[in-house]
Amino acid sequence: MAQDTVQQASTAPATPARVLLPLILPALVVGVAASLIFVGVSAAAGELQDVLWQNLPDALGIGRYSVLWMLVVLTATGVAVGLVVWKVPGHAGPDPATTGLDAPVLPLAVLPGLVLATGLMLAGGPSLGPENPIIAVNVALAFWLGSRLLPRVPGSLWPALAEAATIGALFGTPVAAALVISEALAGKQLKGALWDNVFAPLVAAAAGALTIDLVAHPSFDLHLPALGPPGWGDLLAALVVASAAALLGMAAVYAFPYVHGAFARLGHPMLTLPAGGLVLGLLAALGGHLTLFKGLDEIGELAHDPEGWSAGQFATMTVVKLAALLVAASCGFRGGRIFPAVFVGTAFGLGAHALVPAVPPALGVAAGVLGMLLAITRQGWISLFTAAVLVASPTILALLCIASLPAWLLVTGRPQMQLRKDGTPVI
């Protein structure tokens, strides 16, 4: 039967080039536009972040990351986002606990509130990334404009182009989008070859990645000491760290519906979001300012001096950041869970190195991020890719592939960090 399946796949009719060629220009336009929207929202949020965390506390003579200021700003961020969710038309979209990278096509009236809530969240410090809401905005815009300007193009193509373009922009490379798309298509009945189906999305992803590379020059490399020829000890370390990180991530996943339910019982965004902001402020007071924000800039600071913190300090930051991710995702802040999970995995891996110096920092970080992302996202390829690009070491990929196997066995078939509309976890 397996041979028959292979034969059927190999004889599936390929899509003619004359069908694919007209898709290049729309894919390029969507790719560039999606990337620029991401850059614009991030830049605006960055300006507001400077005002909130530098200009204002300096003018008031308050420490930028004093306990008092963190409590004030995070609670105020909850109030501001709560007002948007309550009063702005569209209520900033659906409950973010129910959304993932595969965004539904939202009505246009929802988008201004969603963008505003996302920008306030990014600037104010909650532990979420921009990926989910930015993908949702780009998907809605691409579908609305594309279906009107080019009605002959299948409507299902526009969300695929926008999602691929945004992922390409988020990671600065189309490879990430290709992996996500391939994983999404694995369970679907395809017409034609796989590359026929990913051709246009890959063009959009490449355009999105090149645009952000030209405009913002992103880099995920943490510049950790390169891993030498791997030994048996390295393999054991990768297996243990990745599996332990996956187990820690699953603890947050199992807690997710209960924490979400506790906030939901408050019954109003002007209660849930300020309460969430206050809890996040208390967590920041415990974990320090590095546990604020989406986490990408902060992991660079951690990696710059891997020996600068003790194992206990790394453990504190790991637990606090994971708790902050759990709270922020549960109380209604609009944002994604990938980037803060990268911080959690990085702190976990550096903690493993601090506890057992024989674990190389690069290996600890890569394995920690791999296990944490597998638990939080349940996306195998994107977890492997993200873990690998953080450390520029060709020898580490084989170790990560092996370490992903037991970590995957720990998470597969279990609840995900995403809920259905009735509050039950997605499995």
Side-chain angles (χ1 to χ4, degrees), residues 344-389:
V344 178
T346 299
F348 186 89
L350 291 175
H353 165 69
L355 187 64
V356 183
V359 177
L363 180 60
V365 167
V369 169
L370 171 65
M372 187 57 59
L373 284 179
L374 284 174
I376 299 297
T377 71
R378 216 55 54 86
Q379 302 243 355
W381 285 124
I382 203 68
S383 301
L384 272 170
F385 170 81
T386 305
V389 298

mmCIF file of all heavy atoms in Angstrom, residues 344-389:
data_model
loop_
_atom_site.group_PDB
_atom_site.id
_atom_site.type_symbol
_atom_site.label_atom_id
_atom_site.label_comp_id
_atom_site.label_asym_id
_atom_site.label_seq_id
_atom_site.Cartn_x
_atom_site.Cartn_y
_atom_site.Cartn_z
ATOM 1 N N VAL A 344 12.469 31.854 27.289
ATOM 2 C CA VAL A 344 12.391 30.830 28.335
ATOM 3 C C VAL A 344 13.386 29.712 28.049
ATOM 4 O O VAL A 344 14.133 29.276 28.936
ATOM 5 C CB VAL A 344 10.962 30.272 28.450
ATOM 6 C CG1 VAL A 344 10.911 29.167 29.509
ATOM 7 C CG2 VAL A 344 9.979 31.375 28.812
ATOM 8 N N GLY A 345 13.413 29.238 26.794
ATOM 9 C CA GLY A 345 14.339 28.169 26.440
ATOM 10 C C GLY A 345 15.791 28.591 26.537
ATOM 11 O O GLY A 345 16.652 27.808 26.953
ATOM 12 N N THR A 346 16.083 29.850 26.181
ATOM 13 C CA THR A 346 17.451 30.347 26.272
ATOM 14 C C THR A 346 17.909 30.412 27.728
ATOM 15 O O THR A 346 19.017 29.959 28.075
ATOM 16 C CB THR A 346 17.548 31.745 25.640
ATOM 17 O OG1 THR A 346 17.197 31.662 24.259
ATOM 18 C CG2 THR A 346 18.960 32.308 25.761
ATOM 19 N N ALA A 347 17.078 31.000 28.598
ATOM 20 C CA ALA A 347 17.434 31.065 30.016
ATOM 21 C C ALA A 347 17.572 29.667 30.623
ATOM 22 O O ALA A 347 18.461 29.414 31.444
ATOM 23 C CB ALA A 347 16.383 31.874 30.776
ATOM 24 N N PHE A 348 16.690 28.749 30.202
ATOM 25 C CA PHE A 348 16.771 27.370 30.695
ATOM 26 C C PHE A 348 18.090 26.730 30.284
ATOM 27 O O PHE A 348 18.767 26.084 31.093
ATOM 28 C CB PHE A 348 15.592 26.569 30.148
ATOM 29 C CG PHE A 348 15.493 25.172 30.692
ATOM 30 C CD1 PHE A 348 14.774 24.913 31.855
ATOM 31 C CD2 PHE A 348 16.103 24.111 30.051
ATOM 32 C CE1 PHE A 348 14.675 23.625 32.360
ATOM 33 C CE2 PHE A 348 16.016 22.816 30.546
ATOM 34 C CZ PHE A 348 15.296 22.571 31.710
ATOM 35 N N GLY A 349 18.467 26.905 29.009
ATOM 36 C CA GLY A 349 19.709 26.304 28.519
ATOM 37 C C GLY A 349 20.947 26.900 29.157
ATOM 38 O O GLY A 349 21.905 26.176 29.481
ATOM 39 N N LEU A 350 20.965 28.216 29.357
ATOM 40 C CA LEU A 350 22.102 28.837 30.028
ATOM 41 C C LEU A 350 22.141 28.439 31.497
ATOM 42 O O LEU A 350 23.228 28.326 32.092
ATOM 43 C CB LEU A 350 22.022 30.354 29.889
ATOM 44 C CG LEU A 350 22.257 30.891 28.467
ATOM 45 C CD1 LEU A 350 22.033 32.393 28.415
ATOM 46 C CD2 LEU A 350 23.667 30.544 27.978
ATOM 47 N N GLY A 351 20.985 28.207 32.089
ATOM 48 C CA GLY A 351 20.947 27.694 33.463
ATOM 49 C C GLY A 351 21.543 26.301 33.546
ATOM 50 O O GLY A 351 22.240 25.969 34.518
ATOM 51 N N ALA A 352 21.269 25.474 32.519
ATOM 52 C CA ALA A 352 21.865 24.138 32.486
ATOM 53 C C ALA A 352 23.391 24.224 32.404
ATOM 54 O O ALA A 352 24.108 23.462 33.059
ATOM 55 C CB ALA A 352 21.306 23.351 31.302
ATOM 56 N N HIS A 353 23.891 25.177 31.603
ATOM 57 C CA HIS A 353 25.345 25.384 31.511
ATOM 58 C C HIS A 353 25.912 25.868 32.842
ATOM 59 O O HIS A 353 26.987 25.428 33.267
ATOM 60 C CB HIS A 353 25.651 26.398 30.406
ATOM 61 C CG HIS A 353 27.044 26.944 30.465
ATOM 62 N ND1 HIS A 353 28.157 26.182 30.180
ATOM 63 C CD2 HIS A 353 27.500 28.179 30.825
ATOM 64 C CE1 HIS A 353 29.247 26.926 30.329
ATOM 65 N NE2 HIS A 353 28.874 28.142 30.721
ATOM 66 N N ALA A 354 25.209 26.788 33.509
ATOM 67 C CA ALA A 354 25.693 27.292 34.796
ATOM 68 C C ALA A 354 25.708 26.193 35.852
ATOM 69 O O ALA A 354 26.583 26.155 36.719
ATOM 70 C CB ALA A 354 24.828 28.458 35.262
ATOM 71 N N LEU A 355 24.733 25.291 35.779
ATOM 72 C CA LEU A 355 24.643 24.192 36.746
ATOM 73 C C LEU A 355 25.666 23.102 36.445
ATOM 74 O O LEU A 355 26.302 22.554 37.357
ATOM 75 C CB LEU A 355 23.230 23.605 36.725
ATOM 76 C CG LEU A 355 22.895 22.562 37.787
ATOM 77 C CD1 LEU A 355 22.954 23.185 39.179
ATOM 78 C CD2 LEU A 355 21.518 21.969 37.522
ATOM 79 N N VAL A 356 25.833 22.791 35.143
ATOM 80 C CA VAL A 356 26.789 21.760 34.711
ATOM 81 C C VAL A 356 27.681 22.398 33.646
ATOM 82 O O VAL A 356 27.318 22.416 32.468
ATOM 83 C CB VAL A 356 26.065 20.518 34.143
ATOM 84 C CG1 VAL A 356 27.073 19.435 33.763
ATOM 85 C CG2 VAL A 356 25.048 19.972 35.131
ATOM 86 N N PRO A 357 28.828 22.955 34.025
ATOM 87 C CA PRO A 357 29.674 23.676 33.057
ATOM 88 C C PRO A 357 30.090 22.846 31.852
ATOM 89 O O PRO A 357 30.463 23.419 30.811
ATOM 90 C CB PRO A 357 30.898 24.076 33.902
ATOM 91 C CG PRO A 357 30.376 24.137 35.309
ATOM 92 C CD PRO A 357 29.360 23.048 35.390
ATOM 93 N N ALA A 358 30.041 21.510 31.955
ATOM 94 C CA ALA A 358 30.394 20.671 30.810
ATOM 95 C C ALA A 358 29.395 20.813 29.664
ATOM 96 O O ALA A 358 29.704 20.436 28.525
ATOM 97 C CB ALA A 358 30.491 19.213 31.240
ATOM 98 N N VAL A 359 28.201 21.336 29.943
ATOM 99 C CA VAL A 359 27.212 21.584 28.887
ATOM 100 C C VAL A 359 27.594 22.887 28.184
ATOM 101 O O VAL A 359 27.545 23.958 28.793
ATOM 102 C CB VAL A 359 25.790 21.704 29.460
ATOM 103 C CG1 VAL A 359 24.788 22.032 28.358
ATOM 104 C CG2 VAL A 359 25.399 20.422 30.180
ATOM 105 N N PRO A 360 28.002 22.843 26.912
ATOM 106 C CA PRO A 360 28.375 24.079 26.221
ATOM 107 C C PRO A 360 27.196 25.048 26.149
ATOM 108 O O PRO A 360 26.047 24.619 25.982
ATOM 109 C CB PRO A 360 28.773 23.602 24.815
ATOM 110 C CG PRO A 360 29.059 22.147 24.966
ATOM 111 C CD PRO A 360 28.149 21.665 26.053
ATOM 112 N N PRO A 361 27.434 26.360 26.302
ATOM 113 C CA PRO A 361 26.317 27.314 26.265
ATOM 114 C C PRO A 361 25.491 27.216 24.991
ATOM 115 O O PRO A 361 24.262 27.282 25.048
ATOM 116 C CB PRO A 361 27.016 28.674 26.380
ATOM 117 C CG PRO A 361 28.338 28.395 26.986
ATOM 118 C CD PRO A 361 28.721 27.027 26.550
ATOM 119 N N ALA A 362 26.158 27.058 23.841
ATOM 120 C CA ALA A 362 25.419 26.989 22.579
ATOM 121 C C ALA A 362 24.503 25.775 22.550
ATOM 122 O O ALA A 362 23.352 25.857 22.111
ATOM 123 C CB ALA A 362 26.391 26.943 21.403
ATOM 124 N N LEU A 363 24.995 24.646 23.027
ATOM 125 C CA LEU A 363 24.184 23.432 23.036
ATOM 126 C C LEU A 363 23.031 23.562 24.024
ATOM 127 O O LEU A 363 21.893 23.168 23.737
ATOM 128 C CB LEU A 363 25.054 22.229 23.389
ATOM 129 C CG LEU A 363 24.341 20.877 23.448
ATOM 130 C CD1 LEU A 363 23.719 20.545 22.099
ATOM 131 C CD2 LEU A 363 25.300 19.771 23.885
ATOM 132 N N GLY A 364 23.309 24.118 25.209
ATOM 133 C CA GLY A 364 22.254 24.295 26.192
ATOM 134 C C GLY A 364 21.141 25.186 25.679
ATOM 135 O O GLY A 364 19.951 24.877 25.830
ATOM 136 N N VAL A 365 21.513 26.315 25.034
ATOM 137 C CA VAL A 365 20.504 27.232 24.502
ATOM 138 C C VAL A 365 19.685 26.575 23.406
ATOM 139 O O VAL A 365 18.449 26.634 23.403
ATOM 140 C CB VAL A 365 21.188 28.513 23.980
ATOM 141 C CG1 VAL A 365 20.218 29.331 23.134
ATOM 142 C CG2 VAL A 365 21.691 29.350 25.146
ATOM 143 N N ALA A 366 20.363 25.954 22.437
ATOM 144 C CA ALA A 366 19.649 25.359 21.311
ATOM 145 C C ALA A 366 18.702 24.259 21.775
ATOM 146 O O ALA A 366 17.549 24.183 21.338
ATOM 147 C CB ALA A 366 20.646 24.819 20.286
ATOM 148 N N ALA A 367 19.175 23.393 22.666
ATOM 149 C CA ALA A 367 18.327 22.296 23.147
ATOM 150 C C ALA A 367 17.187 22.828 24.017
ATOM 151 O O ALA A 367 16.055 22.337 23.931
ATOM 152 C CB ALA A 367 19.172 21.295 23.938
ATOM 153 N N GLY A 368 17.462 23.836 24.838
ATOM 154 C CA GLY A 368 16.399 24.411 25.665
ATOM 155 C C GLY A 368 15.312 25.056 24.833
ATOM 156 O O GLY A 368 14.115 24.880 25.089
ATOM 157 N N VAL A 369 15.712 25.815 23.808
ATOM 158 C CA VAL A 369 14.734 26.459 22.925
ATOM 159 C C VAL A 369 13.949 25.411 22.151
ATOM 160 O O VAL A 369 12.722 25.525 21.985
ATOM 161 C CB VAL A 369 15.447 27.433 21.967
ATOM 162 C CG1 VAL A 369 14.491 27.911 20.874
ATOM 163 C CG2 VAL A 369 15.993 28.620 22.750
ATOM 164 N N LEU A 370 14.633 24.382 21.686
ATOM 165 C CA LEU A 370 13.948 23.309 20.948
ATOM 166 C C LEU A 370 12.851 22.673 21.789
ATOM 167 O O LEU A 370 11.696 22.559 21.359
ATOM 168 C CB LEU A 370 14.972 22.254 20.531
ATOM 169 C CG LEU A 370 14.413 20.954 19.932
ATOM 170 C CD1 LEU A 370 13.708 21.228 18.610
ATOM 171 C CD2 LEU A 370 15.529 19.919 19.748
ATOM 172 N N GLY A 371 13.177 22.243 23.000
ATOM 173 C CA GLY A 371 12.190 21.586 23.833
ATOM 174 C C GLY A 371 11.049 22.502 24.220
ATOM 175 O O GLY A 371 9.879 22.093 24.204
ATOM 176 N N MET A 372 11.364 23.763 24.551
ATOM 177 C CA MET A 372 10.318 24.693 24.955
ATOM 178 C C MET A 372 9.374 24.994 23.799
ATOM 179 O O MET A 372 8.147 25.028 23.966
ATOM 180 C CB MET A 372 10.961 25.984 25.469
ATOM 181 C CG MET A 372 9.980 26.971 26.088
ATOM 182 S SD MET A 372 9.021 26.297 27.479
ATOM 183 C CE MET A 372 10.347 25.829 28.621
ATOM 184 N N LEU A 373 9.910 25.232 22.606
ATOM 185 C CA LEU A 373 9.059 25.534 21.458
ATOM 186 C C LEU A 373 8.214 24.333 21.045
ATOM 187 O O LEU A 373 7.067 24.491 20.617
ATOM 188 C CB LEU A 373 9.899 26.025 20.275
ATOM 189 C CG LEU A 373 10.418 27.452 20.371
ATOM 190 C CD1 LEU A 373 11.246 27.791 19.131
ATOM 191 C CD2 LEU A 373 9.279 28.449 20.503
ATOM 192 N N LEU A 374 8.760 23.139 21.149
ATOM 193 C CA LEU A 374 7.954 21.954 20.832
ATOM 194 C C LEU A 374 6.734 21.876 21.744
ATOM 195 O O LEU A 374 5.632 21.551 21.298
ATOM 196 C CB LEU A 374 8.798 20.684 20.982
ATOM 197 C CG LEU A 374 9.797 20.384 19.871
ATOM 198 C CD1 LEU A 374 10.655 19.184 20.235
ATOM 199 C CD2 LEU A 374 9.094 20.142 18.542
ATOM 200 N N ALA A 375 6.923 22.204 23.027
ATOM 201 C CA ALA A 375 5.801 22.157 23.957
ATOM 202 C C ALA A 375 4.809 23.284 23.714
ATOM 203 O O ALA A 375 3.597 23.068 23.730
ATOM 204 C CB ALA A 375 6.325 22.228 25.398
ATOM 205 N N ILE A 376 5.298 24.493 23.479
ATOM 206 C CA ILE A 376 4.430 25.660 23.375
ATOM 207 C C ILE A 376 3.740 25.742 22.019
ATOM 208 O O ILE A 376 2.558 26.081 21.920
ATOM 209 C CB ILE A 376 5.221 26.954 23.644
ATOM 210 C CG1 ILE A 376 5.805 26.949 25.062
ATOM 211 C CG2 ILE A 376 4.353 28.189 23.425
ATOM 212 C CD1 ILE A 376 4.793 26.912 26.161
ATOM 213 N N THR A 377 4.471 25.440 20.927
ATOM 214 C CA THR A 377 3.926 25.637 19.577
ATOM 215 C C THR A 377 3.453 24.354 18.920
ATOM 216 O O THR A 377 2.613 24.409 18.024
ATOM 217 C CB THR A 377 4.983 26.275 18.660
ATOM 218 O OG1 THR A 377 6.020 25.315 18.370
ATOM 219 C CG2 THR A 377 5.607 27.505 19.298
ATOM 220 N N ARG A 378 4.020 23.218 19.296
ATOM 221 C CA ARG A 378 3.738 21.929 18.662
ATOM 222 C C ARG A 378 4.090 21.961 17.169
ATOM 223 O O ARG A 378 3.518 21.223 16.378
ATOM 224 C CB ARG A 378 2.281 21.523 18.892
ATOM 225 C CG ARG A 378 2.067 20.034 19.093
ATOM 226 C CD ARG A 378 2.901 19.469 20.215
ATOM 227 N NE ARG A 378 2.706 20.191 21.476
ATOM 228 C CZ ARG A 378 1.741 19.928 22.336
ATOM 229 N NH1 ARG A 378 0.874 18.978 22.082
ATOM 230 N NH2 ARG A 378 1.650 20.597 23.469
ATOM 231 N N GLN A 379 5.035 22.816 16.791
ATOM 232 C CA GLN A 379 5.507 22.913 15.410
ATOM 233 C C GLN A 379 6.946 22.400 15.355
ATOM 234 O O GLN A 379 7.885 23.087 15.785
ATOM 235 C CB GLN A 379 5.458 24.369 14.930
ATOM 236 C CG GLN A 379 4.089 24.996 15.009
ATOM 237 C CD GLN A 379 3.558 25.377 13.634
ATOM 238 O OE1 GLN A 379 4.239 25.265 12.626
ATOM 239 N NE2 GLN A 379 2.331 25.831 13.602
ATOM 240 N N GLY A 380 7.117 21.179 14.855
ATOM 241 C CA GLY A 380 8.430 20.552 14.871
ATOM 242 C C GLY A 380 9.470 21.283 14.059
ATOM 243 O O GLY A 380 10.585 21.547 14.523
ATOM 244 N N TRP A 381 9.125 21.628 12.814
ATOM 245 C CA TRP A 381 10.118 22.248 11.940
ATOM 246 C C TRP A 381 10.525 23.625 12.424
ATOM 247 O O TRP A 381 11.701 23.984 12.422
ATOM 248 C CB TRP A 381 9.593 22.333 10.510
ATOM 249 C CG TRP A 381 9.588 21.047 9.767
ATOM 250 C CD1 TRP A 381 8.524 20.446 9.169
ATOM 251 C CD2 TRP A 381 10.709 20.180 9.513
ATOM 252 N NE1 TRP A 381 8.899 19.264 8.575
ATOM 253 C CE2 TRP A 381 10.237 19.086 8.774
ATOM 254 C CE3 TRP A 381 12.056 20.233 9.865
ATOM 255 C CZ2 TRP A 381 11.070 18.048 8.364
ATOM 256 C CZ3 TRP A 381 12.892 19.202 9.461
ATOM 257 C CH2 TRP A 381 12.388 18.119 8.722
ATOM 258 N N ILE A 382 9.554 24.436 12.832
ATOM 259 C CA ILE A 382 9.882 25.787 13.266
ATOM 260 C C ILE A 382 10.676 25.741 14.567
ATOM 261 O O ILE A 382 11.533 26.597 14.822
ATOM 262 C CB ILE A 382 8.601 26.640 13.413
ATOM 263 C CG1 ILE A 382 8.952 28.132 13.303
ATOM 264 C CG2 ILE A 382 7.907 26.373 14.713
ATOM 265 C CD1 ILE A 382 9.405 28.570 11.960
ATOM 266 N N SER A 383 10.439 24.744 15.406
ATOM 267 C CA SER A 383 11.212 24.590 16.639
ATOM 268 C C SER A 383 12.659 24.248 16.329
ATOM 269 O O SER A 383 13.597 24.838 16.893
ATOM 270 C CB SER A 383 10.588 23.502 17.525
ATOM 271 O OG SER A 383 9.249 23.807 17.850
ATOM 272 N N LEU A 384 12.869 23.302 15.431
ATOM 273 C CA LEU A 384 14.232 22.948 15.023
ATOM 274 C C LEU A 384 14.936 24.127 14.360
ATOM 275 O O LEU A 384 16.099 24.429 14.661
ATOM 276 C CB LEU A 384 14.195 21.765 14.057
ATOM 277 C CG LEU A 384 14.228 20.353 14.647
ATOM 278 C CD1 LEU A 384 13.925 19.328 13.562
ATOM 279 C CD2 LEU A 384 15.589 20.078 15.281
ATOM 280 N N PHE A 385 14.233 24.799 13.476
ATOM 281 C CA PHE A 385 14.839 25.917 12.751
ATOM 282 C C PHE A 385 15.257 27.027 13.707
ATOM 283 O O PHE A 385 16.389 27.533 13.647
ATOM 284 C CB PHE A 385 13.844 26.453 11.717
ATOM 285 C CG PHE A 385 14.270 27.738 11.090
ATOM 286 C CD1 PHE A 385 15.188 27.753 10.050
ATOM 287 C CD2 PHE A 385 13.753 28.946 11.538
ATOM 288 C CE1 PHE A 385 15.590 28.945 9.479
ATOM 289 C CE2 PHE A 385 14.140 30.145 10.965
ATOM 290 C CZ PHE A 385 15.062 30.147 9.927
ATOM 291 N N THR A 386 14.354 27.429 14.606
ATOM 292 C CA THR A 386 14.650 28.523 15.522
ATOM 293 C C THR A 386 15.818 28.162 16.432
ATOM 294 O O THR A 386 16.716 28.987 16.671
ATOM 295 C CB THR A 386 13.414 28.869 16.361
ATOM 296 O OG1 THR A 386 12.309 29.141 15.497
ATOM 297 C CG2 THR A 386 13.674 30.077 17.234
ATOM 298 N N ALA A 387 15.814 26.943 16.950
ATOM 299 C CA ALA A 387 16.914 26.520 17.820
ATOM 300 C C ALA A 387 18.245 26.542 17.083
ATOM 301 O O ALA A 387 19.271 26.940 17.653
ATOM 302 C CB ALA A 387 16.625 25.115 18.358
ATOM 303 N N ALA A 388 18.231 26.155 15.819
ATOM 304 C CA ALA A 388 19.478 26.089 15.058
ATOM 305 C C ALA A 388 20.015 27.467 14.693
ATOM 306 O O ALA A 388 21.232 27.696 14.727
ATOM 307 C CB ALA A 388 19.266 25.257 13.794
ATOM 308 N N VAL A 389 19.135 28.419 14.342
ATOM 309 C CA VAL A 389 19.632 29.718 13.885
ATOM 310 C C VAL A 389 20.143 30.577 15.039
ATOM 311 O O VAL A 389 20.857 31.563 14.805
ATOM 312 C CB VAL A 389 18.552 30.507 13.115
ATOM 313 C CG1 VAL A 389 18.138 29.762 11.861
ATOM 314 C CG2 VAL A 389 17.351 30.814 13.991
#
